[in-house]
Amino acid sequence: MGEFNQRTIRIWLARVLEPCGSRAFYTLLAPEWQRIPMINEILAGAKIEEHKYTKAVRDVRYYVGANLCRLATYGPIYYGLWQKPYVLSLIMMGTLTFFHFMSMFTEFYKGLVLWTAWERNQIGEDENQIKMPDPQPPKTRGFWAPYRFESKEGYVRIGMEWFRKRVVLFVDSLSGGPATERSSRKGLYNFVDDTIAAEKVHLVGAVLGALFVLPFFTDGPHWIGVYGLFVIGLDMYLALLQRYHRTRVWAALRLERGN
């Protein structure tokens, strides 16, 4: 009876979170071929491919932990806003905080769907399910493609390889182990999409960070402004890390550089 109640509560929670924006937020951020079915689709018998299930479980673990860590870095800034509640800074921090909480609610929703699929033994290929298209090759032109002056050697000189190894250890510690789906061309295409999405998030975070830090430099407390610069610098370095990833992948995929 207890097990039945727990299952019922998980399904009910997933159904509640969907109209609250979790599914829409997930659909906005996740490419179509990476998305897992909705809770009603799972209850109707839809399956989740094993490699997609493994990646989704890993992502849930990582993004919940990463968002919690990021919220923790805002602690000194929350303290500064409590002392001096600048309107612009409050709006920017409110926007960032809302994004992180929505991200965690979305991962919680995904976890409920994944748990339900696992309990119902619905992990595997489904011949009756419409197969999602394979990811398209990365575009070789535009801002997100590596520029001709970007090289692995150049990024190594600014410490990006050292930084990458530390980030990999951090990611693997949160997600439960190293990724295993990047050994194929399709996996690398997915990886490129992941790095572009991550770069967008960190660039937006850096811009919002610059806006909420500005009042602290003009009116104080100035140490909050200096700390804010550290947070902005971290975002910018993480954005550069995504470009470094793509520069390395471009060479592995032997893609041209049109920029």
PDB file of all heavy atoms in Angstrom, residues 153-177:
ATOM      1  N   GLU A 153      45.843  25.153 -28.879  1.00  0.00           N
ATOM      2  CA  GLU A 153      47.082  25.663 -28.279  1.00  0.00           C
ATOM      3  C   GLU A 153      46.859  27.013 -27.603  1.00  0.00           C
ATOM      4  O   GLU A 153      47.378  27.284 -26.518  1.00  0.00           O
ATOM      5  CB  GLU A 153      48.180  25.786 -29.344  1.00  0.00           C
ATOM      6  CG  GLU A 153      48.650  24.471 -29.929  1.00  0.00           C
ATOM      7  CD  GLU A 153      47.651  23.858 -30.903  1.00  0.00           C
ATOM      8  OE1 GLU A 153      46.763  24.612 -31.396  1.00  0.00           O
ATOM      9  OE2 GLU A 153      47.735  22.646 -31.165  1.00  0.00           O
ATOM     10  N   GLY A 154      46.077  27.880 -28.266  1.00  0.00           N
ATOM     11  CA  GLY A 154      45.794  29.196 -27.705  1.00  0.00           C
ATOM     12  C   GLY A 154      45.023  29.103 -26.399  1.00  0.00           C
ATOM     13  O   GLY A 154      45.327  29.814 -25.429  1.00  0.00           O
ATOM     14  N   TYR A 155      44.046  28.227 -26.363  1.00  0.00           N
ATOM     15  CA  TYR A 155      43.275  28.068 -25.138  1.00  0.00           C
ATOM     16  C   TYR A 155      44.116  27.455 -24.027  1.00  0.00           C
ATOM     17  O   TYR A 155      43.951  27.794 -22.850  1.00  0.00           O
ATOM     18  CB  TYR A 155      42.039  27.208 -25.406  1.00  0.00           C
ATOM     19  CG  TYR A 155      40.885  27.977 -26.019  1.00  0.00           C
ATOM     20  CD1 TYR A 155      40.438  27.706 -27.312  1.00  0.00           C
ATOM     21  CD2 TYR A 155      40.235  28.973 -25.298  1.00  0.00           C
ATOM     22  CE1 TYR A 155      39.374  28.409 -27.871  1.00  0.00           C
ATOM     23  CE2 TYR A 155      39.177  29.679 -25.840  1.00  0.00           C
ATOM     24  CZ  TYR A 155      38.749  29.399 -27.120  1.00  0.00           C
ATOM     25  OH  TYR A 155      37.705  30.099 -27.670  1.00  0.00           O
ATOM     26  N   VAL A 156      45.008  26.535 -24.385  1.00  0.00           N
ATOM     27  CA  VAL A 156      45.883  25.928 -23.372  1.00  0.00           C
ATOM     28  C   VAL A 156      46.759  26.994 -22.729  1.00  0.00           C
ATOM     29  O   VAL A 156      47.009  26.966 -21.518  1.00  0.00           O
ATOM     30  CB  VAL A 156      46.735  24.806 -24.003  1.00  0.00           C
ATOM     31  CG1 VAL A 156      47.829  24.346 -23.031  1.00  0.00           C
ATOM     32  CG2 VAL A 156      45.864  23.622 -24.396  1.00  0.00           C
ATOM     33  N   ARG A 157      47.206  27.968 -23.535  1.00  0.00           N
ATOM     34  CA  ARG A 157      48.084  29.027 -23.005  1.00  0.00           C
ATOM     35  C   ARG A 157      47.393  29.869 -21.939  1.00  0.00           C
ATOM     36  O   ARG A 157      48.059  30.431 -21.056  1.00  0.00           O
ATOM     37  CB  ARG A 157      48.558  29.934 -24.147  1.00  0.00           C
ATOM     38  CG  ARG A 157      49.566  29.293 -25.065  1.00  0.00           C
ATOM     39  CD  ARG A 157      50.238  30.316 -25.963  1.00  0.00           C
ATOM     40  NE  ARG A 157      50.794  29.706 -27.154  1.00  0.00           N
ATOM     41  CZ  ARG A 157      50.213  29.702 -28.350  1.00  0.00           C
ATOM     42  NH1 ARG A 157      49.047  30.323 -28.515  1.00  0.00           N
ATOM     43  NH2 ARG A 157      50.781  29.106 -29.383  1.00  0.00           N
ATOM     44  N   ILE A 158      46.078  30.016 -22.019  1.00  0.00           N
ATOM     45  CA  ILE A 158      45.367  30.818 -21.010  1.00  0.00           C
ATOM     46  C   ILE A 158      44.795  29.929 -19.898  1.00  0.00           C
ATOM     47  O   ILE A 158      43.931  30.351 -19.138  1.00  0.00           O
ATOM     48  CB  ILE A 158      44.250  31.665 -21.638  1.00  0.00           C
ATOM     49  CG1 ILE A 158      43.193  30.778 -22.315  1.00  0.00           C
ATOM     50  CG2 ILE A 158      44.820  32.655 -22.634  1.00  0.00           C
ATOM     51  CD1 ILE A 158      41.975  31.563 -22.798  1.00  0.00           C
ATOM     52  N   GLY A 159      45.294  28.704 -19.798  1.00  0.00           N
ATOM     53  CA  GLY A 159      44.942  27.826 -18.684  1.00  0.00           C
ATOM     54  C   GLY A 159      43.647  27.065 -18.847  1.00  0.00           C
ATOM     55  O   GLY A 159      43.133  26.495 -17.877  1.00  0.00           O
ATOM     56  N   MET A 160      43.121  27.004 -20.072  1.00  0.00           N
ATOM     57  CA  MET A 160      41.819  26.382 -20.252  1.00  0.00           C
ATOM     58  C   MET A 160      41.854  24.865 -20.067  1.00  0.00           C
ATOM     59  O   MET A 160      40.888  24.278 -19.588  1.00  0.00           O
ATOM     60  CB  MET A 160      41.266  26.731 -21.635  1.00  0.00           C
ATOM     61  CG  MET A 160      39.774  26.533 -21.765  1.00  0.00           C
ATOM     62  SD  MET A 160      38.819  27.480 -20.553  1.00  0.00           S
ATOM     63  CE  MET A 160      39.113  29.148 -21.117  1.00  0.00           C
ATOM     64  N   GLU A 161      42.942  24.215 -20.430  1.00  0.00           N
ATOM     65  CA  GLU A 161      43.029  22.760 -20.242  1.00  0.00           C
ATOM     66  C   GLU A 161      43.071  22.424 -18.760  1.00  0.00           C
ATOM     67  O   GLU A 161      42.429  21.462 -18.324  1.00  0.00           O
ATOM     68  CB  GLU A 161      44.257  22.200 -20.949  1.00  0.00           C
ATOM     69  CG  GLU A 161      44.440  20.700 -20.820  1.00  0.00           C
ATOM     70  CD  GLU A 161      43.292  19.877 -21.399  1.00  0.00           C
ATOM     71  OE1 GLU A 161      42.521  20.414 -22.227  1.00  0.00           O
ATOM     72  OE2 GLU A 161      43.163  18.700 -21.004  1.00  0.00           O
ATOM     73  N   TRP A 162      43.819  23.203 -17.987  1.00  0.00           N
ATOM     74  CA  TRP A 162      43.846  23.025 -16.525  1.00  0.00           C
ATOM     75  C   TRP A 162      42.453  23.215 -15.951  1.00  0.00           C
ATOM     76  O   TRP A 162      41.979  22.418 -15.132  1.00  0.00           O
ATOM     77  CB  TRP A 162      44.817  24.027 -15.903  1.00  0.00           C
ATOM     78  CG  TRP A 162      44.896  23.951 -14.406  1.00  0.00           C
ATOM     79  CD1 TRP A 162      45.735  23.182 -13.663  1.00  0.00           C
ATOM     80  CD2 TRP A 162      44.072  24.674 -13.483  1.00  0.00           C
ATOM     81  NE1 TRP A 162      45.494  23.376 -12.315  1.00  0.00           N
ATOM     82  CE2 TRP A 162      44.479  24.289 -12.178  1.00  0.00           C
ATOM     83  CE3 TRP A 162      43.050  25.611 -13.618  1.00  0.00           C
ATOM     84  CZ2 TRP A 162      43.885  24.810 -11.033  1.00  0.00           C
ATOM     85  CZ3 TRP A 162      42.449  26.119 -12.475  1.00  0.00           C
ATOM     86  CH2 TRP A 162      42.875  25.725 -11.197  1.00  0.00           C
ATOM     87  N   PHE A 163      41.769  24.255 -16.411  1.00  0.00           N
ATOM     88  CA  PHE A 163      40.418  24.561 -15.936  1.00  0.00           C
ATOM     89  C   PHE A 163      39.440  23.454 -16.353  1.00  0.00           C
ATOM     90  O   PHE A 163      38.581  23.038 -15.572  1.00  0.00           O
ATOM     91  CB  PHE A 163      39.983  25.913 -16.503  1.00  0.00           C
ATOM     92  CG  PHE A 163      38.661  26.403 -15.986  1.00  0.00           C
ATOM     93  CD1 PHE A 163      38.488  26.688 -14.642  1.00  0.00           C
ATOM     94  CD2 PHE A 163      37.594  26.591 -16.853  1.00  0.00           C
ATOM     95  CE1 PHE A 163      37.266  27.148 -14.165  1.00  0.00           C
ATOM     96  CE2 PHE A 163      36.371  27.046 -16.389  1.00  0.00           C
ATOM     97  CZ  PHE A 163      36.207  27.325 -15.039  1.00  0.00           C
ATOM     98  N   ARG A 164      39.584  22.961 -17.578  1.00  0.00           N
ATOM     99  CA  ARG A 164      38.692  21.909 -18.091  1.00  0.00           C
ATOM    100  C   ARG A 164      38.760  20.662 -17.217  1.00  0.00           C
ATOM    101  O   ARG A 164      37.724  20.067 -16.888  1.00  0.00           O
ATOM    102  CB  ARG A 164      39.069  21.548 -19.530  1.00  0.00           C
ATOM    103  CG  ARG A 164      38.159  20.497 -20.167  1.00  0.00           C
ATOM    104  CD  ARG A 164      38.707  20.004 -21.484  1.00  0.00           C
ATOM    105  NE  ARG A 164      39.890  19.174 -21.312  1.00  0.00           N
ATOM    106  CZ  ARG A 164      39.861  17.882 -20.992  1.00  0.00           C
ATOM    107  NH1 ARG A 164      38.703  17.257 -20.802  1.00  0.00           N
ATOM    108  NH2 ARG A 164      40.981  17.201 -20.855  1.00  0.00           N
ATOM    109  N   LYS A 165      39.966  20.243 -16.834  1.00  0.00           N
ATOM    110  CA  LYS A 165      40.119  19.036 -16.026  1.00  0.00           C
ATOM    111  C   LYS A 165      39.437  19.182 -14.673  1.00  0.00           C
ATOM    112  O   LYS A 165      38.818  18.228 -14.170  1.00  0.00           O
ATOM    113  CB  LYS A 165      41.599  18.722 -15.838  1.00  0.00           C
ATOM    114  CG  LYS A 165      42.292  18.274 -17.121  1.00  0.00           C
ATOM    115  CD  LYS A 165      43.773  18.024 -16.891  1.00  0.00           C
ATOM    116  CE  LYS A 165      44.449  17.565 -18.176  1.00  0.00           C
ATOM    117  NZ  LYS A 165      45.913  17.344 -17.996  1.00  0.00           N
ATOM    118  N   ARG A 166      39.511  20.388 -14.090  1.00  0.00           N
ATOM    119  CA  ARG A 166      38.849  20.613 -12.797  1.00  0.00           C
ATOM    120  C   ARG A 166      37.334  20.609 -12.947  1.00  0.00           C
ATOM    121  O   ARG A 166      36.622  20.075 -12.107  1.00  0.00           O
ATOM    122  CB  ARG A 166      39.301  21.942 -12.186  1.00  0.00           C
ATOM    123  CG  ARG A 166      40.553  21.850 -11.317  1.00  0.00           C
ATOM    124  CD  ARG A 166      41.760  21.611 -12.148  1.00  0.00           C
ATOM    125  NE  ARG A 166      42.950  21.265 -11.363  1.00  0.00           N
ATOM    126  CZ  ARG A 166      44.049  20.768 -11.910  1.00  0.00           C
ATOM    127  NH1 ARG A 166      44.110  20.540 -13.227  1.00  0.00           N
ATOM    128  NH2 ARG A 166      45.088  20.461 -11.166  1.00  0.00           N
ATOM    129  N   VAL A 167      36.853  21.198 -14.040  1.00  0.00           N
ATOM    130  CA  VAL A 167      35.406  21.216 -14.284  1.00  0.00           C
ATOM    131  C   VAL A 167      34.900  19.793 -14.529  1.00  0.00           C
ATOM    132  O   VAL A 167      33.827  19.412 -14.047  1.00  0.00           O
ATOM    133  CB  VAL A 167      35.068  22.134 -15.475  1.00  0.00           C
ATOM    134  CG1 VAL A 167      33.610  21.977 -15.884  1.00  0.00           C
ATOM    135  CG2 VAL A 167      35.354  23.588 -15.115  1.00  0.00           C
ATOM    136  N   VAL A 168      35.669  18.987 -15.269  1.00  0.00           N
ATOM    137  CA  VAL A 168      35.275  17.600 -15.528  1.00  0.00           C
ATOM    138  C   VAL A 168      35.155  16.828 -14.212  1.00  0.00           C
ATOM    139  O   VAL A 168      34.195  16.074 -14.006  1.00  0.00           O
ATOM    140  CB  VAL A 168      36.287  16.913 -16.469  1.00  0.00           C
ATOM    141  CG1 VAL A 168      36.073  15.399 -16.484  1.00  0.00           C
ATOM    142  CG2 VAL A 168      36.159  17.468 -17.884  1.00  0.00           C
ATOM    143  N   LEU A 169      36.113  17.018 -13.307  1.00  0.00           N
ATOM    144  CA  LEU A 169      36.044  16.353 -12.002  1.00  0.00           C
ATOM    145  C   LEU A 169      34.812  16.789 -11.227  1.00  0.00           C
ATOM    146  O   LEU A 169      34.132  15.981 -10.591  1.00  0.00           O
ATOM    147  CB  LEU A 169      37.314  16.665 -11.190  1.00  0.00           C
ATOM    148  CG  LEU A 169      38.612  16.007 -11.670  1.00  0.00           C
ATOM    149  CD1 LEU A 169      39.793  16.525 -10.855  1.00  0.00           C
ATOM    150  CD2 LEU A 169      38.514  14.489 -11.561  1.00  0.00           C
ATOM    151  N   PHE A 170      34.508  18.090 -11.311  1.00  0.00           N
ATOM    152  CA  PHE A 170      33.327  18.631 -10.617  1.00  0.00           C
ATOM    153  C   PHE A 170      32.045  18.044 -11.201  1.00  0.00           C
ATOM    154  O   PHE A 170      31.157  17.583 -10.472  1.00  0.00           O
ATOM    155  CB  PHE A 170      33.331  20.156 -10.740  1.00  0.00           C
ATOM    156  CG  PHE A 170      32.094  20.815 -10.206  1.00  0.00           C
ATOM    157  CD1 PHE A 170      31.880  20.910  -8.843  1.00  0.00           C
ATOM    158  CD2 PHE A 170      31.141  21.331 -11.072  1.00  0.00           C
ATOM    159  CE1 PHE A 170      30.732  21.513  -8.335  1.00  0.00           C
ATOM    160  CE2 PHE A 170      29.994  21.939 -10.587  1.00  0.00           C
ATOM    161  CZ  PHE A 170      29.787  22.031  -9.215  1.00  0.00           C
ATOM    162  N   VAL A 171      31.950  18.026 -12.532  1.00  0.00           N
ATOM    163  CA  VAL A 171      30.752  17.506 -13.201  1.00  0.00           C
ATOM    164  C   VAL A 171      30.572  16.027 -12.903  1.00  0.00           C
ATOM    165  O   VAL A 171      29.466  15.572 -12.563  1.00  0.00           O
ATOM    166  CB  VAL A 171      30.831  17.750 -14.721  1.00  0.00           C
ATOM    167  CG1 VAL A 171      29.691  17.030 -15.442  1.00  0.00           C
ATOM    168  CG2 VAL A 171      30.788  19.244 -15.034  1.00  0.00           C
ATOM    169  N   ASP A 172      31.650  15.256 -13.014  1.00  0.00           N
ATOM    170  CA  ASP A 172      31.559  13.814 -12.782  1.00  0.00           C
ATOM    171  C   ASP A 172      31.202  13.496 -11.329  1.00  0.00           C
ATOM    172  O   ASP A 172      30.491  12.523 -11.052  1.00  0.00           O
ATOM    173  CB  ASP A 172      32.875  13.135 -13.143  1.00  0.00           C
ATOM    174  CG  ASP A 172      33.122  13.113 -14.651  1.00  0.00           C
ATOM    175  OD1 ASP A 172      32.171  13.417 -15.397  1.00  0.00           O
ATOM    176  OD2 ASP A 172      34.252  12.803 -15.059  1.00  0.00           O
ATOM    177  N   SER A 173      31.683  14.323 -10.397  1.00  0.00           N
ATOM    178  CA  SER A 173      31.376  14.083  -8.986  1.00  0.00           C
ATOM    179  C   SER A 173      29.898  14.306  -8.702  1.00  0.00           C
ATOM    180  O   SER A 173      29.309  13.625  -7.848  1.00  0.00           O
ATOM    181  CB  SER A 173      32.224  14.995  -8.095  1.00  0.00           C
ATOM    182  OG  SER A 173      31.865  16.358  -8.267  1.00  0.00           O
ATOM    183  N   LEU A 174      29.266  15.255  -9.408  1.00  0.00           N
ATOM    184  CA  LEU A 174      27.845  15.523  -9.213  1.00  0.00           C
ATOM    185  C   LEU A 174      26.962  14.532  -9.968  1.00  0.00           C
ATOM    186  O   LEU A 174      25.901  14.136  -9.485  1.00  0.00           O
ATOM    187  CB  LEU A 174      27.502  16.944  -9.659  1.00  0.00           C
ATOM    188  CG  LEU A 174      28.040  18.106  -8.824  1.00  0.00           C
ATOM    189  CD1 LEU A 174      27.584  19.437  -9.415  1.00  0.00           C
ATOM    190  CD2 LEU A 174      27.581  18.000  -7.370  1.00  0.00           C
ATOM    191  N   SER A 175      27.393  14.146 -11.164  1.00  0.00           N
ATOM    192  CA  SER A 175      26.529  13.339 -12.038  1.00  0.00           C
ATOM    193  C   SER A 175      26.698  11.835 -11.849  1.00  0.00           C
ATOM    194  O   SER A 175      25.948  11.053 -12.431  1.00  0.00           O
ATOM    195  CB  SER A 175      26.791  13.693 -13.506  1.00  0.00           C
ATOM    196  OG  SER A 175      28.147  13.506 -13.830  1.00  0.00           O
ATOM    197  N   GLY A 176      27.688  11.421 -11.059  1.00  0.00           N
ATOM    198  CA  GLY A 176      27.840  10.011 -10.773  1.00  0.00           C
ATOM    199  C   GLY A 176      28.808   9.269 -11.660  1.00  0.00           C
ATOM    200  O   GLY A 176      28.839   8.039 -11.659  1.00  0.00           O
ATOM    201  N   GLY A 177      29.613   9.980 -12.428  1.00  0.00           N
ATOM    202  CA  GLY A 177      30.600   9.320 -13.278  1.00  0.00           C
ATOM    203  C   GLY A 177      30.745  10.014 -14.613  1.00  0.00           C
ATOM    204  O   GLY A 177      29.974  10.914 -14.948  1.00  0.00           O
TER     205      GLY A 177
END
